[in-house]
Amino acid sequence: MSERKVVDARDSFCPGPLMELIANIRLIEVGSELELLSKDKGSAEEVPAWLTKVGHQHISTEKRGDHWSIVVKRVK
Amino acid sequence: MSKHILVVGGGLAGTMVANGLCRRLGNELRAGQVQITLLGTSDRHLYQPALLFVPFGLAGEENLFRSQRQVLDRRVVFHVDPARQIEAVTKKVTTEAGRVFDYDYLILATGSRLMPETVPGMVEGAHWFYDLAGARKLRSALQAFTGGRIVVNINVPHKCPVAPLEMTLMLHDYLTKRGLIDRTTLTYTYPIGRLHALEPVAHWCKPVLEQRGIQSETFFNTEWIDPVNQRITSMEGVTLDYDLLITIPPHAGMEVVSTSNLGRGGWATTDPKTLLHTVHKEIFVIGDTTNIPISKAGSTAHFETETVIANITALIQEGCWSHDYDGKVFCFLETGMEEGTYTWFNYVTPPRLGPPSQMIHWFRLAYNRLYWLSVKGLL
Ligand SMILES: Cc1cc2nc3c(=O)[nH]c(=O)nc-3n(C[C@H](O)[C@H](O)[C@H](O)COP(=O)(O)OP(=O)(O)OC[C@H]3O[C@@H](n4cnc5c(N)ncnc54)[C@H](O)[C@@H]3O)c2cc1C
């Protein structure tokens, strides 16, 4: 498996974590994982909801101090 | 020994940084201790924000361009000769014409490009206004429009976060003035679960769109477009019919960035504070081409250039670092044909939005002219 790409969107008010995820997921290969870092509670909930809608996989969400780490897998 | 600063890209960021460095390094340039070269793709400089006004016939095309040589300080050596390959390890850039430039500092400012071809059916079925050919084509389509379903569709990533919303609101005013609004359904689609990436803008525009009868679809990322049956379908499984589709195509960075292994998708991997390439510390990256998770906007590029000018000047004159970039972004927002507002934010200060006013709208129009002073480094 290729190295996991990390998208650090902790200081991103615009475009924000989910937009960063949408833009970056197309830059990784199918089957690879991406870790999104976000300080925004809203995206910790919104990201899994979006992944379900479009059919990518939500691997995990973990609270780490002041931010969340959300790991996703590109499925298609 | 003379230091060579090579700027790749003659858009907003590249031009501003080259001009700013000339101002700060005047003595060194005169003494031959510093040389500044800029590689661009064109001898004309385009003021991109004015493209928003082209579809409505509100911007004379003669006002969109200036000669690149004239907006550049005369001390900058300028070549219309795009970079083909950047060899960061040996600090060499090879151009399309086969020239080879060595550098001490490279400033990468190649911006972004529209990629409608990455969405099936988009080239054939959609209009856009983010380049001049597209804006002209949309102007013709709008002039011929007599009513029907218009979809304004936003894809990621894209530069200028506010232009798509401005287009929607201006379109509503334009159709009202032409007496077509009662015969038109206007739908705005957005990729995430709210109507704009900037939270205060999303809150502000929700009732505004509703009052104007503009429909909206959130969580809409375009999967494909059927140009024959005039339908657009999202990855989330929603299909909309249209008579006129106005899209913001997804963007990518420039090929030279990815083929030179400086960043995937043409987005150069950039430290958000130093604006240095994460691996190659002689490369500064500014403007749309960074992979920093902030708005791709002219104002971002402008504030980044201020940091880079200060740092390169300090490194050359005093051998030390000046200061880091704080993530500042400033955006005007046209809320119709006659009113506007603005917002600003940085890495730690969240955005807020003031009430729209005519004065801000006029200031924005004035800025369209002031841009030419700003890019010359005079403002
Ligand atoms: C319709 C519209 C409205 C906008 N409105 C606003 C606004 O109101 N406010 C705002 O802040 N921003 C706005 N923007 C965004 C703004 O124009 C861009 O963010 C800004 O131009 C970015 O500057 P840049 O120098 O990074 O990229 P650009 O200005 O795009 O310049 C990049 C340059 O690099 C050149 N280049 C590419 N590849 C190479 C190569 N290999 N070698 C040499 N040169 C190369 C390109 O030809 C181009 O000239 C708007 C944009 C559009 C399209």
Side-chain angles (χ1 to χ4, degrees), chain B residues 8-14 39-41 48-49 51-52 82-83 109-111 129-130 159-160 163 254 256 286-289 296-299 301 330 364:
Chain B
V8 180
L12 187 152
L39 303 177
T41 51
Q48 295 179 38
L51 291 172
L52 174 65
T110 44
F129 60 97
Y130 266 43
K159 61 184 157 190
C160 194
M254 288 297 165
V256 66
I286 44 173
D288 290 352
T289 200
K296 297 195 181 299
S299 73
F330 175 98
R364 160 80 182 268

Side-chain angles (χ1 to χ4, degrees), chain B residues 7-15 39-42 44-52 81-84 96 109-112 114 129-131 159-163 166 251 254-256 286-289 296-301 330-332 364 367 371:
Chain B
V7 183
V8 180
L12 187 152
T15 305
L39 303 177
T41 51
S42 165
R44 294 202 303 168
H45 187 106
L46 167 66
Y47 175 57
Q48 295 179 38
L51 291 172
L52 174 65
D81 187 6
R84 184 159 46 85
E96 293 290 348
T110 44
S112 58
L114 310 182
F129 60 97
Y130 266 43
D131 60 23
K159 61 184 157 190
C160 194
V162 293
E166 291 179 309
H251 294 23
M254 288 297 165
E255 216 173 345
V256 66
I286 44 173
D288 290 352
T289 200
K296 297 195 181 299
S299 73
T300 312
F330 175 98
C331 289
F332 282 116
R364 160 80 182 268
Y367 186 79
Y371 172 79

Side-chain angles (χ1 to χ4, degrees), chain A residues 8 12-14 20 26 46 50, chain B residues 156 193 236 250 293-295 346:
Chain A
D8 187 349
S12 179
F13 291 115
C14 178
E20 285 297 329
R26 67 182 64 171
E46 199 182 36
W50 181 74
Chain B
V156 261
E236 292 81 359
I294 54 172
S295 316
N346 62 23

Side-chain angles (χ1 to χ4, degrees), chain A residues 5 8-9 11-15 18-20 22-23 26-28 46 50 53-54, chain B residues 156 190 192-193 197-198 219 221 235-236 250 264 293-295 345-347 349-350:
Chain A
K5 183 175 165 75
D8 187 349
D11 292 324
S12 179
F13 291 115
C14 178
L18 180 54
M19 293 275 257
E20 285 297 329
I22 298 170
R26 67 182 64 171
L27 299 179
I28 63 169
E46 199 182 36
W50 181 74
K53 276 176 194 279
V54 298
Chain B
V156 261
Y190 207 69
I192 59 171
L198 282 161
F219 281 128
N221 290 280
M235 294 174 193
E236 292 81 359
R264 267 188 242 192
I294 54 172
S295 316
F345 51 96
N346 62 23
Y347 291 142
T349 316

